[in-house]
């Protein structure tokens, strides 16, 4: 009997030592994975966390770490692998709202959502957010993320686009997309670099509002987003997708705006002329001027001419572009008034011609203004922001 007790004691000690060794080995592999993560060595991080999972498949932290490594690596199939690991981490962490398990659970939700956004998968991200909302309710972190992405919780408890809040991002998009006059300066590559990050959100918003246009009173202006999407595809050189959206809009609305031809459209104060992709190529305004434009085949502005038609003698403004950058503006000013024999104000006949010329630096445009005698009179340095030119230094002659 005494011998049996001794053997049981020895067995307990061996099991305890094995357990300590197992926990120690797991910690070593986990720490190694975290080090590789910090070094952005994604391959080794995947292997280290995988070994930690093999040692103890019930620790959620290792699944979270490996999900982050897959997300960082970003190869084929890595998004799906990351989402599977994040889901396992949430399952193992349970619903404990305190301590390390709570931190792991929160990170597994947030990192999964961000992985979808990073991959441009808005539908997947919103589906995960909906799952998080159903599981945890309206947490501060969830509400902040919804606001950041211009999403909201509808009256039915479902997450949907916040069309009103999204006017900020669509405003940014419009300034990039339509900034093709006056202060436009982006080259093809620069414009595309600014449009592409906004494309997944625009695609999601349009698809959601299109699909809910008749059934959901909270659906926003799907047609305007469809029009934007069509033109963004066009400007990104994706002609097949441009034609698909245009045909879809034509079928849904019957509006000749979306027919595959050039067209004209009257609004409150002007007659606008568009090409077959909805880009403005001419404008006759009731305010007394006409704007005509020339574009390259990919929608880049080449030349814009504005001429007054209200009686001013040869008053016009001409904009010249090269690769999307404004190169020069020519002004012919007939805006001089006098009086006729009845004392009525009329347009005079005095004309002055001036011009502005643009030179571009790394982060600025230097604009030289020449007077009617062809003399340089003012030099202004404009700083380039994401959407146009912001006035900076201004020097009048004599120039240093």
């Amino acid at each position: 009997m005494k011998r049996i007790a001794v053997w049981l004691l020895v067995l307990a000690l061996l099991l305890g030592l094995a357990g300590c060794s197992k926990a120690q080995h797991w910690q070593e592999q986990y720490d190694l994975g975290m080090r590789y993560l910090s070094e952005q060595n994604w391959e080794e991080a995947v292997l280290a966390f995988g070994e930690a999972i093999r040692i103890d498949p019930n620790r959620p932290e290792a699944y979270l770490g490996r999900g982050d490594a897959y997300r960082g690596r970003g190869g084929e199939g890595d998004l799906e692998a990351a989402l599977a690991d994040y889901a396992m981490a949430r399952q193992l962490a349970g619903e404990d709202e305190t301590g390390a398990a709570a931190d792991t659970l929160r990170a597994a939700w947030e990192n999964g959502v961000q992985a979808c956004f990073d991959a441009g998968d808005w539908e997947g991200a919103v589906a995960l957010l909906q799952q998080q909302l159903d599981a945890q309710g309206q947490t501060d972190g969830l509400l902040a993320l919804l606001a950041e992405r211009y999403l909201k919780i509808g009256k039915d408890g479902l997450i949907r686009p916040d069309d009103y809040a999204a006017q900020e991002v669509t405003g940014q998009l419009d300034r990039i997309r339509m900034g093709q006059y006056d202060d436009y300066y982006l080259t093809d590559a620069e414009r595309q670099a600014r449009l592409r990050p906004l494309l997944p959100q625009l695609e999601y918003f349009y698809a959601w509002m299109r699909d809910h246009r008749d059934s959901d009173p909270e659906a926003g202006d799907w047609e305007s987003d469809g029009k934007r999407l069509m033109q963004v595809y066009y400007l990104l050189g994706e002609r097949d997708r441009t034609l698909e959206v245009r045909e879809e809009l034509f079928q849904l609305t019957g509006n000749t705006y979306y027919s595959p031809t050039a067209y004209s459209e009257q609004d409150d104060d002007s007659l606008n002329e568009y090409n077959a992709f909805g880009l403005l190529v001419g404008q006759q305004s009731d305010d007394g001027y006409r704007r005509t434009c020339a574009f390259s085949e990919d929608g880049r502005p080449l030349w814009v001419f504005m001429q007054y038609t209200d009686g001013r003698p040869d008053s016009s403004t001409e904009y010249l572009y090269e690769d999307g950058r404004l190169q020069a503006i020519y002004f012919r000013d007939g805006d001089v008034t006098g009086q006729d024999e009845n004392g009525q104000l009329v347009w005079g006949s005095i004309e002055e011609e001036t011009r502005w010329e643009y030179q571009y630096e790394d982060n600025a445009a230097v604009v030289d203004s020449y007077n009617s005698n062809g003399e340089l009179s003012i030099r202004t340095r404009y700083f380039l922001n994401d959407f146009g030119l912001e006035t900076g230094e201004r020097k009048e002659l004599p120039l240093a």
Side-chain angles (χ1 to χ4, degrees):
M1 193 71 181
K2 186 179 296 183
R3 181 177 297 175
I4 293 174
V6 170
W7 278 109
L8 289 175
L9 178 60
V10 170
L11 180 61
L13 289 171
L14 289 174
L15 290 173
L17 289 172
C20 291
S21 176
K22 176 181 176 180
Q24 182 178 3
H25 189 31
W26 179 92
Q27 190 67 51
E28 290 173 353
Q29 290 299 313
Y30 177 78
D31 290 344
L32 186 61
M34 293 300 291
R35 192 189 84 192
Y36 286 137
L37 265 188
S38 68
E39 297 172 352
Q40 298 186 2
N41 188 342
W42 312 122
E43 297 288 348
E44 294 299 329
V46 167
L47 294 175
F49 286 123
E51 179 62 15
I53 291 170
R54 187 193 66 78
I55 295 167
D56 187 348
N58 297 313
R59 297 287 297 270
E61 307 97 304
Y63 290 96
L64 176 64
R66 190 171 68 175
D68 289 343
Y70 281 133
R71 177 186 170 196
R73 189 170 67 178
E76 184 177 355
D78 281 343
L79 173 61
E80 293 77 10
L83 294 178
D85 275 350
Y86 291 143
M88 181 59 74
R90 293 194 298 271
Q91 178 181 328
L92 292 174
E95 299 302 322
D96 187 356
E97 298 183 358
T98 61
D103 293 338
T104 300
L105 180 62
R106 182 174 59 254
W109 281 118
E110 293 176 354
N111 294 7
V113 169
Q114 291 295 348
C116 290
F117 279 134
D118 292 345
D121 181 10
W122 273 69
E123 187 174 350
V126 172
L128 268 181
L129 285 167
Q130 187 69 55
Q131 292 177 34
Q132 183 181 2
L133 175 63
D134 296 340
Q136 295 187 313
Q138 299 185 28
T139 65
D140 291 342
L142 175 64
L143 294 176
L145 183 55
L146 292 178
E148 177 186 339
R149 298 289 179 166
Y150 303 101
L151 299 167
K152 67 178 182 180
I153 302 171
K155 296 177 181 178
D156 55 4
L158 298 178
I159 294 173
R160 66 197 65 228
D162 188 343
D163 194 47
Y164 179 78
Q167 290 178 13
E168 179 178 336
V169 73
T170 54
Q172 295 175 7
L173 187 149
D174 288 344
R175 286 193 292 273
I176 300 170
R177 175 179 58 91
M178 297 299 290
Q180 50 202 3
Y181 309 117
D182 300 350
D183 60 0
Y184 193 71
Y185 77 96
L186 298 177
T187 63
D188 285 346
E190 290 167 335
R191 176 157 70 171
Q192 291 185 6
R194 286 162 173 77
L195 284 176
R196 284 201 180 277
L198 301 175
L199 183 59
Q201 178 177 353
L202 182 60
E203 291 173 326
Y204 172 76
F205 274 43
Y206 167 64
W208 191 96
M209 291 187 287
R210 176 202 62 203
D211 294 344
H212 295 80
R213 65 188 186 281
D214 297 325
S215 61
D216 196 314
E218 295 185 73
D221 188 359
W222 65 275
E223 189 176 349
S224 292
D225 278 347
K227 188 187 304 183
R228 289 188 181 94
L229 183 59
M230 174 183 69
Q231 294 174 353
V232 169
Y233 281 149
Y234 179 82
L235 296 172
L236 291 174
E238 300 184 17
R239 302 304 171 81
D240 290 343
R241 301 177 81 178
T242 301
L243 296 174
E244 288 174 5
V245 176
R246 186 179 66 184
E247 178 62 23
E248 182 176 68
L249 290 170
F250 182 59
Q251 294 298 326
L252 292 174
T253 67
N255 192 335
T256 56
Y257 179 100
Y258 307 112
S259 61
T261 59
Y263 62 94
S264 299
E265 185 176 70
Q266 180 75 48
D267 61 22
D268 292 339
D269 59 6
S270 64
L271 176 65
N272 301 315
E273 301 169 7
Y274 297 88
N275 67 9
F277 294 95
L279 289 172
L280 185 67
V281 295
Q283 184 179 74
Q284 175 69 57
S285 172
D286 292 341
D287 292 338
Y289 70 88
R290 179 177 180 82
R291 175 163 53 188
T292 56
C293 319
F295 289 89
S296 61
E297 290 185 359
D298 61 354
R300 306 299 293 163
L302 300 173
W303 169 76
V304 178
F305 187 70
M306 295 175 59
Q307 185 171 25
Y308 288 93
T309 59
D310 57 1
R312 301 185 223 191
D314 197 22
S315 179
S316 61
T317 305
E318 184 176 2
Y319 302 87
L320 298 179
Y321 296 84
E322 182 177 334
D323 191 26
R325 287 189 189 273
L326 184 61
Q327 298 297 313
I329 305 176
Y330 292 88
F331 302 92
R332 184 177 294 277
D333 189 4
D335 192 1
V336 180
T337 58
Q339 291 182 334
D340 63 16
E341 58 185 5
N342 298 317
Q344 300 297 315
L345 291 177
V346 296
W347 295 114
S349 59
I350 301 176
E351 298 178 10
E352 292 185 0
E353 184 170 334
T354 58
R355 73 182 189 276
W356 291 355
E357 293 185 354
Y358 287 69
Q359 298 290 329
Y360 291 89
E361 300 175 348
D362 288 341
N363 195 39
V366 177
V367 182
D368 288 336
S369 176
Y370 294 82
N371 61 26
S372 57
N373 296 322
E375 300 167 337
L376 178 61
S377 58
I378 299 174
R379 174 168 291 167
T380 306
R381 177 173 279 103
Y382 292 87
F383 297 104
L384 305 183
N385 57 35
D386 283 348
F387 311 112
L389 303 174
E390 181 179 335
T391 303
E393 304 169 357
R394 179 184 177 94
K395 295 181 179 180
E396 298 189 15
L397 284 178
L399 298 175

